[in-house]
Amino acid sequence: MEQPLILDRYRPLADLGSGGHGDVVLAFDTKMARRVAIKRLPLPLDRMGRPLAKAGLAEARTAAMLNHPSIVTVHEWDTDSDEAFIVMEAIEGSSLADILDDTGEPLTLDETAAVVDAVVSALTYAHDNGVLHLDLKPGNVLVNPDGRVKVADFGVSALTDASGYAHGTAGTIGYMPPEQLRGQALDERTDVWALAALVYELLTGANPFDADTVEGSLFKIEVAEVPAPSEFQPGLSAALDDVLLAALAPDAAERHPDVIAFRAALSRHLGDSDAGRSSLADVVGSLVGEDADEFAREPLTPLGLWDRLARFSSA
């Protein structure tokens, strides 16, 4: 039985997975003849237990609609009685989380440099527009088969906190600094901390705050109980250790003031970003496989696109 259209426009094709904030489906846009990814999230409730009025979602909508080459494009944002729908470009490729998991290896210095350049570019644009990400992690950074890196899920934390009393706590343990966990005031240095945790994981293959329990992770975050990255990967320099550990300081005042300053301190200890993009393209190409290559090579006619989408999503 054919599923009903989402928002009277998008035909569901396949489930792409679930996360802490909501479900994602691959869908076909019947008006624009293109495939999209749709994130469905429950609307936050007000203090009376009612879905928050649309007026209260303005901040989340603004954050989600940022337009930048290194940010996943959001085509549409809408709500019904109890759900929000974020309609995004569908990215062929893999998340950094998938790459780390599937390869079982950390990224190279070149590959990490490529990721850092793209993510810092995206975050700088967002920060210049008054938007913090607040949930930066490997699963929210995507790499397509030509090695381009894009950041997803701007605005999702803002949506989750749109009721006005969660104060940015809707992130992911291991990627939230102490001030975010405590519900305190946040600024660019909050995303600096998360980016440092991300880079640490890319270079070592492990999140520095992993523990057997949530309480154990929270303790490590609060007291900055972080081993030097070179303890996991002896080839990393002591200077690189110093940069990452400074950015992971529990006190925001001790971190780099913004992501540009963090990149300036970090980049001299990484590799070549152009070589890294080429290497990431090879890695993602091997993970995505020949089906995606065939999909990308075929001509984009409306009828042919629909046929290929149905075949690709069922492969």
Side-chain angles (χ1 to χ4, degrees), residues 231-253:
E231 292 185 24
F232 291 94
Q233 294 293 327
L236 300 177
S237 69
L240 177 57
D241 289 345
D242 292 341
V243 173
L244 287 177
L245 295 180
L248 291 169
D251 184 350

Side-chain angles (χ1 to χ4, degrees), residues 11 17 21 33 37 73 81 91 109 111 113 129 176 182 190 218 241 243 306 314:
R11 189 179 307 282
H21 293 307
T73 300
S81 60
I91 303 293
L109 290 172
E111 292 164 351
N129 284 275
M176 291 192 292
R182 298 174 190 144
T190 303
L218 294 176
D241 289 345
V243 173
W306 171 253
S314 62

